[in-house]
Amino acid sequence: MLLSTRDLTKSFPGTIALDRVNFGLKAGEVHALLGENGAGKSTLIKCLTGAYRRDSGDILFEGKPIFPQSTLEAQAIGIGTVYQEVNLLPNLTVAENLTLGHQPTRFGMIRPRAMQALAQEMLAGYGLDIDVRRPLESYSVAVQQIVAIARAVHLSGRVLILDEPTASLDAREVQMLFDVVRDLRGRGLGIIFISHFLDQVFEISDSLTILRNGRHIATHPAADVDRMQLITLMLGRELEEETSVRYRPEVTGTSADAIRFTGVGRRGRIAPFDLTVRKGEVIGMAGLLGSGRTESAEVLFGAVPSDSGTVEDANGAVDLRNPRSAIAAGFAFAPEDRKTDGIIAELSVRENIILALQARQGWARPIPQAEQQRMADDYIARLDIRTPDAEKPVGLLSGGNQQKVILARWLATNPRFLILDEPTRGIDVGAHAEILRLIEDVVAQGMSILVISSELEELVAVSHRVIVVRDRRHVSELTGADVSPDTILRAIAAPHTTLEAMA
Amino acid sequence: MLERILMASVAVFSLGAGVAGAQTIGFSQIGSESGWRAAETTVTMNQAKERGIDLRFSDAQQRQENQIAALRSFIAQGVDAILVAPVVATGWDSVLEEAAEAEIPVVLLDRMVDSSPDLYLTAVGSDLVHEGRVAGEWLVSAANGEECRVVELQGTTGSSPAIDRKKGFEEGIAGADNIEIVRSQTGDFTRTRGKEVMESFLQAENGGADICALYAHNDDMAVGAIQAIKEAGLKPGEDILVVSIDAVPDIFQALAAGEANATVELTPNMAGPAFDALEAYFADGTMPEKFIQTESKLYTQADDPAGEYEARKDLGY
Amino acid sequence: MTGSTLLRRIAPQLLTLAAVIVLVSIYYPAFYQIVYVNDRLVGIPIDVIKRGAPVALLAIGMTLVIATRGIDLSVGAVMAICGASAAWSIDQGYGIGAALGIAGAAGLVCGLWNGVLVAFFGIQPIVATLILMVAGRGVAQLITGGTILTFDSDTFAFLGSGTMIGVPVPTVIWILTGIGFGLLVRRTALGLLVESIGVNLRASTLAGINSRVLLIAVYMGSGFCAALAGVIATADIRGADANNAGLWLELDAILAVVIGGNSLLGGRFSILASLLGAMIIQTINTGILLAGFPSEFNLVIKAVLVIVILVLQSPRFMPYLELLASRFKRSSVTRLEAGE
């Protein structure tokens, strides 16, 4: 093994980001690292490159333990990294970028000729014919990527980590990059490749390692795994026993009092789609990360307003220009990223709970202190929010409790349509079950819910029907007996099926 | 371009012919950062009009490069002489040499440059130390040998007017043992700070009872301080003598109201002496002194302050 | 906020103020003397609360702006604009009511400009308000015609140098404004909403807060406070000095907010603490004038004191102080017990 980890563990307050992860990279292979958001990929990379310090476990380079304290040290050992956002200086020349920090000098002065020669030499073999004296920014992102790779390979030379290198490249540029990667593999480098594009993963990788919730799930030769298996491994099927009892109350509403979205969408984010939400209905939404799930939710809530279509209910058109009007229409949205989009970390649990209701009432009609206290205590008890008191800053609570506070915030507005984007991600099993139970409770009272989740069993357990999203389109809708993890997986994985074919 | 060369040659010709009167003089002003500067501009224009001079005015807006460009343009236009109030002291050598080559005399107004004196005809300016001395000497005579505790409002700390006016005043009162500066603080040349600092002086000196006179490095601070004195229940001009420098219109109002006692003029008329010197030079080649000091005239309540106010109020102060 | 939590919040500022007063009175023992002459209170503390009026007023608005994670560098220039507008109106014979109305409107318009740049165009507050900081003084000079625009109105001058039952009018104005803003943000939900957008703008917007309108309102509040400060500064010297009115006061106002223990990263804020910060700064300024050091030392002394205050209030140092306080408490308790 060129580079390997043994029982590598890293935790942050509230979560274990890496839990005894074993990983091995051979010389001369391209090894893909796969997992949904929060699986632990970037934490693993940051531990390998010295950006994070591990809590426990070993990192072995050619069998010897190493302790990189910074990316520079990791580079010196032989581990170089290239990120999605090129980490070079766009206004310097290609040559300066390549040689920065180790320019050939004489008496302390940089020798421009020698620097250019060195840069030419570093770029040799990458199939680039560019003028190294021009600023880096005058070239395409793909060329910049390759320059970054050339620099990383020159400085480290043994292991190359590519973190989402193709995210902003077009198909031709991807091929250009892959030619370089294959060539480097031929030269005996070990390459770790991270990407959300499964086609690319299968095209370039020799081995696959799948992480989920900070744990190592599997490592296979790429040829032994198919798309379906890979997605199954990535999304996991852990909840099977726990939520096997399906509790799905009857949908109480009729199509007459439903909210009807017709042809809503947003150019470049999610293709126009139709959706009818009846009272007391739970609609699941499944799809891989970046498939358009969150984008759908943002359109439905007016966070990124729709640029087409209409929304109507029994009373006529519904205004969804922005979150404020959506909330006025009785909508609520618990976003995927709690930290940046959900909680107001510095404010207390009480203030976080009353926030949406207060915003809807307007600044001039403050909720009386006693009423705030009563609401906070009520929800703390009802949702079993673990906090010493209602005045604790919400940022100090654990992830699961933060999620419950956000749910409380929305329940306090008594919405008719609640959108939950990954409501159970990154929270412990106990809180997980409680949140699912809560969904059932409020649905029984006639609330409509849209749940977006990567946990298929969870979706199956709570949803009346499931919409599958792929490549920023709603590709199929599963109802009745079709609502099962297997059918969902197949719909997500099917590379070229259409809505009609699935139905 | 051709036009410029043509104009320049015409100008050289006219100079060679020694045509008097109807002269063209370029004036590069720093800008209009203060009321005094605006008054200087107004007075210069008035002086030029009176003498029948065609004044070409250029406002540099506090930038030396604008001034240098203006001077080059004057040289290209072939003016008969150039007045310049330099924004900084350094960096004038080459453009002054160009003027000398074109045989255009340059007169510096109000501020000096670091170049060789050969490169300009003369400089007209006031002597800041002298101004302070005039104010000090006035106070010595006004105190008339009696014990007098003076508070001083300095200009912006470290600026040359603040340093020199302080030095001059101290020279003026040297030898008069009855006069003593008991408190001295900066008022930043502004009314607000002048008032604020005067308030603290009054507090610190027994409600003002222990202060005999105020010396302010400019009139604006004195105007602010006068208000502070009035608000403390004292009569400025009687309970506390007020002497300051600059002679701006507002201080004449105070003089007329008996609330100030004396001001030393920093005349905005730098152009008058400059034009005089140029006329003499053009007439028979008389070389003026290298520094022409303007008069630092003392005005008191006896010098028709109301009239002086009327004469000055429209100068742009 | 209950009484005891409020006291805990402003305790560092109260202690600092006390310490600064003690320090000044070492150099000037008559500090505490207040007498009543000519229908007005006279004394150093009165000077402090009068002279501190502009910075105190600016600090009120600045506290709210900073709570939204913004900053308003333009307040000094807005003071000059509003002071000039007021003096111009009086000079034109419009009367005191119109003058105050025009000055207040000018402040609100300046705030609207800043707020729109920040909220709608997404320009960084420091850059957005820098524009008016630079251009505003020019606008003020246009109004005054480049000179010190003096006016003759005792009613207007009363706002700068008059007294009400012995208390200087500027003091009355800043205290009433402070109470007014305090009630406005704490008796309504405004304070909570402002803190919320300061901590997390995106999450607040998703929770239904009209963050754009709120941001604009906050900058307009700051502009209004600057207008009041400008009116006072102008009335004080009976003239509008476009070049010098409010010059560098934006920095003192920011400093007051920081000394008041408000984070520049936004969120929780206390107007009262900022006002105490303004008084701390003014006590230092007045103290320096009284102490009679040469002018060259003014800025150095102020800087040293400010650094000491900020270091003592820093998160690194606070735990030590609290430890010291608890030890002191314990030892005084044991002493008491020993005494009994």
Side-chain angles (χ1 to χ4, degrees):
Chain A
M1 282 290 160
L2 177 59
L3 179 68
S4 56
T5 70
R6 215 159 49 198
D7 291 342
L8 190 65
T9 300
K10 172 77 189 171
S11 58
F12 296 105
T15 55
I16 296 178
L18 288 179
D19 188 4
R20 286 161 291 152
V21 168
N22 293 307
F23 171 77
L25 173 70
K26 293 199 256 320
E29 75 164 352
V30 175
H31 196 137
L33 199 53
L34 297 157
E36 288 278 274
N37 257 4
K41 290 169 305 188
S42 51
T43 311
L44 176 57
I45 296 307
K46 284 180 172 156
C47 287
L48 290 177
T49 57
Y52 283 165
R53 207 172 298 178
R54 58 189 182 255
D55 294 343
S56 63
D58 297 317
I59 300 174
L60 306 170
F61 187 78
E62 296 184 322
K64 285 188 273 303
I66 57 166
F67 303 91
Q69 301 292 314
S70 68
T71 44
L72 267 164
E73 273 189 46
Q75 221 167 53
I77 293 168
I79 305 168
T81 317
V82 173
Y83 295 97
Q84 172 184 355
E85 303 297 332
V86 180
N87 261 15
L88 299 178
L89 305 165
N91 51 345
L92 295 189
T93 66
V94 174
E96 284 165 335
N97 267 299
L98 281 168
T99 60
L100 198 68
H102 59 105
Q103 297 102 328
T105 56
R106 182 186 289 151
F107 313 127
M109 307 283 282
I110 292 170
R111 295 156 52 204
R113 285 277 166 66
M115 180 173 79
Q116 282 154 23
L118 174 62
Q120 299 279 17
E121 190 187 308
M122 285 167 70
L123 281 183
Y126 287 95
L128 283 186
D129 182 22
I130 59 173
D131 183 351
V132 297
R133 289 168 301 182
R134 287 186 50 193
L136 184 67
E137 64 194 349
S138 56
Y139 295 104
S140 69
V141 179
V143 171
Q144 295 186 25
Q145 284 282 9
I146 293 172
V147 169
I149 290 173
R151 179 181 161 87
V153 169
H154 180 82
L155 291 178
S156 38
R158 306 299 306 279
V159 173
L160 180 63
I161 300 171
L162 300 173
D163 190 357
E164 295 275 1
T166 58
S168 41
L169 304 186
D170 65 28
R172 200 181 46 82
E173 290 174 327
V174 169
Q175 285 316 313
M176 193 167 138
L177 185 79
F178 281 0
D179 287 344
V180 168
V181 171
R182 287 193 195 96
D183 183 53
L184 290 173
R185 171 173 64 189
R187 279 154 62 177
L189 265 78
I191 296 164
I192 300 176
F193 179 72
I194 298 172
S195 176
H196 280 119
F197 300 104
L198 297 189
D199 292 342
Q200 294 176 8
V201 168
F202 279 112
E203 179 181 348
I204 194 78
S205 308
D206 303 305
S207 320
L208 312 172
T209 288
I210 295 103
L211 299 180
R212 191 169 72 236
N213 293 334
R215 278 193 289 270
H216 176 260
I217 299 300
T219 297
H220 294 293
D224 295 358
V225 190
D226 66 16
R227 221 182 147 82
M228 181 76 189
Q229 288 167 312
L230 178 58
I231 292 170
T232 313
L233 289 168
M234 282 168 67
L235 298 183
R237 309 190 56 166
E238 293 177 320
L239 273 168
E240 205 144 20
E241 301 83 359
E242 203 176 327
T243 52
S244 53
V245 185
R246 280 174 57 171
Y247 171 76
R248 214 183 291 156
E250 285 304 300
V251 176
T252 52
T254 61
S255 55
D257 58 9
I259 307 166
R260 288 181 303 278
F261 299 87
T262 314
V264 296
R266 178 85 178 189
R267 199 180 305 276
R269 296 178 67 87
I270 183 74
F273 61 89
D274 297 346
L275 183 67
T276 302
V277 183
R278 285 178 296 165
K279 262 182 119 172
E281 186 176 29
V282 181
I283 302 167
M285 190 173 275
L288 290 178
L289 191 85
S291 58
R293 304 177 313 190
T294 298
E295 288 78 359
S296 301
E298 284 172 345
V299 165
L300 293 176
F301 189 63
V304 180
S306 170
D307 55 8
S308 64
T310 57
V311 188
E312 286 175 321
D313 62 8
N315 300 321
V318 179
D319 175 12
L320 296 180
R321 261 173 313 163
N322 52 40
R324 225 157 19 92
S325 41
I327 292 167
F331 287 31
F333 174 44
E336 177 179 13
D337 192 335
R338 279 191 298 274
K339 282 223 158 25
T340 64
D341 301 346
I343 60 164
I344 316 289
E346 249 180 77
L347 298 192
S348 70
V349 171
R350 168 178 59 81
E351 288 164 318
N352 269 279
I353 288 176
I354 62 131
L355 192 64
L357 184 62
Q358 181 66 70
R360 191 172 71 184
Q361 283 199 8
W363 63 271
R365 289 175 53 211
I367 302 169
Q369 198 68 29
E371 175 69 12
Q372 293 187 16
Q373 202 61 54
R374 197 194 56 70
M375 280 171 59
D377 291 341
D378 182 33
Y379 280 107
I380 288 172
R382 232 177 99 193
L383 306 191
D384 192 21
I385 299 170
R386 311 274 165 80
T387 173
D389 61 72
E391 299 309 313
K392 189 152 178 103
V394 77
L396 300 179
L397 303 188
S398 72
N401 285 306
Q402 291 180 354
Q403 183 70 308
K404 288 181 190 171
V405 169
I406 292 171
L407 286 176
R409 174 193 294 169
W410 291 118
L411 294 180
T413 66
N414 193 21
R416 57 175 166 156
F417 181 35
L418 175 61
I419 302 165
L420 302 172
D421 194 355
E422 293 284 4
T424 57
R425 160 162 305 156
I427 66 182
D428 61 75
V429 177
H432 196 144
E434 284 170 33
I435 286 172
L436 295 188
R437 206 186 55 228
L438 188 79
I439 292 175
E440 287 158 6
D441 280 357
V442 295
V443 168
Q445 291 159 27
M447 201 181 287
S448 313
I449 293 188
L450 178 81
V451 185
I452 296 170
S453 180
S454 302
E455 311 252 12
L456 300 185
E457 277 72 14
E458 178 180 307
L459 277 184
V460 169
V462 299
S463 309
H464 293 103
R465 55 194 164 108
V466 171
I467 292 163
V468 176
V469 187
R470 176 160 26 89
D471 298 332
R472 307 198 170 245
R473 311 184 74 84
H474 289 201
V475 290
S476 71
E477 183 176 321
L478 308 170
T479 52
D482 280 344
V483 180
S484 76
D486 281 344
T487 47
I488 297 174
L489 266 180
R490 212 166 295 129
I492 293 174
H496 300 295
T497 43
T498 61
L499 196 60
E500 289 76 17
M502 282 308 297
Chain B
M1 190 64 209
L2 186 69
E3 213 172 41
R4 274 198 184 170
I5 294 168
L6 220 67
M7 274 175 61
S9 58
V10 169
V12 169
F13 174 75
S14 70
L15 232 175
V19 177
Q23 284 167 331
T24 303
I25 294 182
F27 174 32
S28 170
Q29 177 63 289
I30 294 177
S32 54
E33 77 278 10
S34 66
W36 183 86
R37 188 66 63 191
E40 184 191 39
T41 304
T42 315
V43 170
T44 305
M45 288 174 167
N46 291 348
Q47 284 282 340
K49 200 181 281 173
E50 274 174 32
R51 294 163 194 256
I53 293 168
D54 176 14
L55 191 76
R56 304 263 167 92
F57 177 72
S58 164
D59 182 338
Q61 295 177 335
Q62 315 290 333
R63 294 164 73 98
Q64 186 182 28
E65 59 262 39
N66 290 351
Q67 285 204 300
I68 290 176
L71 260 57
R72 294 225 160 97
S73 148
F74 291 149
I75 294 167
Q77 292 168 31
V79 298
D80 298 310
I82 293 171
L83 304 184
V84 55
V87 64
V88 292
T90 54
W92 294 98
D93 288 359
S94 68
V95 71
L96 288 179
E97 274 162 19
E98 288 166 34
E101 269 169 36
E103 296 187 20
I104 298 174
V106 174
V107 179
L108 307 177
L109 294 190
D110 172 47
R111 295 190 187 184
M112 299 298 291
V113 298
D114 279 346
S115 305
S116 154
D118 301 337
L119 291 176
Y120 55 87
L121 182 69
T122 180
V124 181
S126 69
D127 183 336
L128 296 163
V129 179
H130 178 65
E131 291 166 357
R133 201 181 298 127
V134 171
E137 284 162 358
W138 173 84
L139 186 62
V140 170
S141 68
N144 205 8
E146 281 178 36
E147 184 76 10
C148 189
R149 291 162 57 87
V150 181
V151 293
E152 180 183 31
L153 286 171
Q154 300 175 31
T156 306
T157 306
S159 67
S160 62
I163 295 167
D164 290 349
R165 286 175 176 177
K166 182 174 177 55
K167 184 168 163 233
F169 186 78
E170 282 163 0
E171 285 174 20
I173 61 171
D177 293 338
N178 56 324
I179 296 174
E180 181 198 2
I181 299 175
V182 291
R183 285 191 179 261
S184 180
Q185 253 296 339
T186 178
D188 284 331
F189 284 131
T190 69
R191 278 187 202 199
T192 313
R193 293 278 295 158
K195 185 175 182 191
E196 179 179 355
V197 176
M198 190 66 202
E199 281 174 358
S200 77
F201 285 168
L202 292 166
Q203 290 286 353
E205 296 295 330
N206 195 14
D210 295 347
I211 302 173
C212 140
L214 161 70
Y215 166 51
H217 287 188
N218 76 349
D219 290 338
D220 274 335
M221 289 190 291
V223 169
I226 286 168
Q227 284 172 23
I229 296 169
K230 283 202 282 190
E231 282 167 25
L234 297 174
K235 288 202 174 66
E238 290 176 29
D239 297 329
I240 295 176
L241 303 177
V242 177
V243 56
S244 53
I245 297 177
D246 274 359
V248 303
D250 283 349
I251 199 75
F252 284 106
Q253 277 192 315
L255 282 167
E259 292 173 346
N261 302 84
T263 183
V264 179
E265 184 180 44
L266 167 64
T267 179
N269 184 11
M270 302 272 169
F275 290 144
D276 291 344
L278 282 169
E279 265 169 37
Y281 173 71
F282 287 133
D284 49 16
T286 314
M287 289 300 287
E289 296 281 313
K290 275 294 165 194
F291 180 71
I292 302 172
Q293 187 182 326
T294 56
E295 190 188 0
S296 297
K297 190 167 178 231
L298 182 79
Y299 289 90
T300 65
Q301 294 174 359
D303 296 309
D304 183 23
E308 291 292 339
Y309 172 73
E310 288 303 319
R312 284 157 205 268
K313 68 173 186 187
D314 293 325
L315 289 181
Y317 274 110
Chain C
M1 216 183 245
T2 60
S4 69
T5 54
L6 176 68
L7 195 65
R8 202 175 312 143
R9 168 66 181 81
I10 61 168
Q13 284 70 41
L14 286 174
L15 287 175
T16 309
L17 185 57
V20 172
I21 289 173
V22 167
L23 187 68
V24 172
S25 59
I26 291 172
Y27 285 91
Y28 193 81
F31 183 93
Y32 309 100
Q33 242 171 46
I34 299 178
V35 291
Y36 193 79
V37 285
N38 302 334
D39 291 336
R40 60 170 66 213
L41 292 166
V42 177
I44 305 295
I46 304 298
D47 267 15
V48 169
I49 58 176
K50 178 192 168 190
R51 280 289 148 215
V55 172
L57 282 166
L58 297 182
I60 294 169
M62 190 70 78
T63 305
L64 295 179
V65 172
I66 284 179
T68 66
R69 199 179 266 232
I71 202 142
D72 189 350
L73 293 182
S74 71
V75 288
V78 174
M79 269 179 76
I81 292 175
C82 298
S85 313
W88 176 84
S89 314
I90 296 278
D91 197 44
Q92 298 287 310
Y94 288 154
I96 176 96
L100 290 180
I102 289 172
L108 290 173
V109 168
C110 290
L112 179 66
W113 162 268
N114 285 331
V116 166
L117 288 184
V118 171
F120 274 92
F121 295 97
I123 300 175
Q124 294 255 347
I126 196 166
V127 179
T129 58
L130 190 65
I131 296 167
L132 197 55
M133 178 190 183
V134 177
R137 232 160 253 292
V139 173
Q141 281 164 347
L142 287 178
I143 298 170
T144 63
T147 67
I148 296 181
L149 185 61
T150 52
F151 56 86
D152 194 24
S153 163
D154 285 335
T155 346
F156 191 55
F158 176 78
L159 295 174
S161 46
T163 58
M164 290 169 81
I165 41 172
V167 183
V169 174
T171 311
V172 175
I173 292 176
W174 75 252
I175 290 177
L176 287 182
T177 309
I179 293 173
F181 271 80
L183 291 179
L184 182 65
V185 296
R186 294 303 177 198
R187 283 293 160 86
T188 70
L190 273 181
L192 172 66
L193 301 183
V194 163
E195 284 173 346
S196 178
I197 63 172
V199 176
N200 191 335
L201 182 65
R202 205 180 134 71
S204 302
T205 309
L206 285 176
I209 298 176
N210 197 344
S211 40
R212 280 185 175 172
V213 168
L214 200 54
L215 272 176
I216 291 174
V218 161
Y219 281 90
M220 287 177 76
S222 178
F224 182 72
C225 289
L228 288 176
V231 164
I232 288 177
T234 303
D236 184 36
I237 59 165
R238 292 167 178 261
D241 186 347
N243 288 318
N244 298 304
L247 193 61
W248 306 127
L249 284 197
E250 56 278 345
L251 299 183
D252 269 0
I254 293 167
L255 193 59
V257 174
V258 172
I259 290 179
N262 297 298
S263 166
L264 287 179
L265 295 178
R268 295 283 190 209
F269 69 89
S270 163
I271 290 177
L272 179 59
S274 295
L275 288 173
L276 287 172
M279 289 307 114
I280 291 168
I281 293 173
Q282 189 56 43
T283 309
I284 294 173
N285 286 344
T286 305
I288 289 170
L289 293 181
L290 289 171
F293 295 119
S295 311
E296 288 79 356
F297 289 97
N298 291 2
L299 297 177
V300 179
I301 294 170
K302 185 173 171 184
V304 169
L305 285 175
V306 167
I307 288 172
V308 169
I309 291 169
L310 293 182
V311 167
L312 288 178
Q313 289 186 6
S314 67
R316 275 277 169 99
F317 219 89
M318 270 314 246
Y320 294 104
L321 284 187
E322 274 162 17
L323 193 73
L324 213 69
S326 69
R327 280 223 186 117
F328 178 76
K329 216 182 269 172
R330 212 175 308 139
S331 70
S332 62
V333 167
T334 46
R335 224 178 301 142
L336 267 177
E337 283 166 353
E340 282 169 354

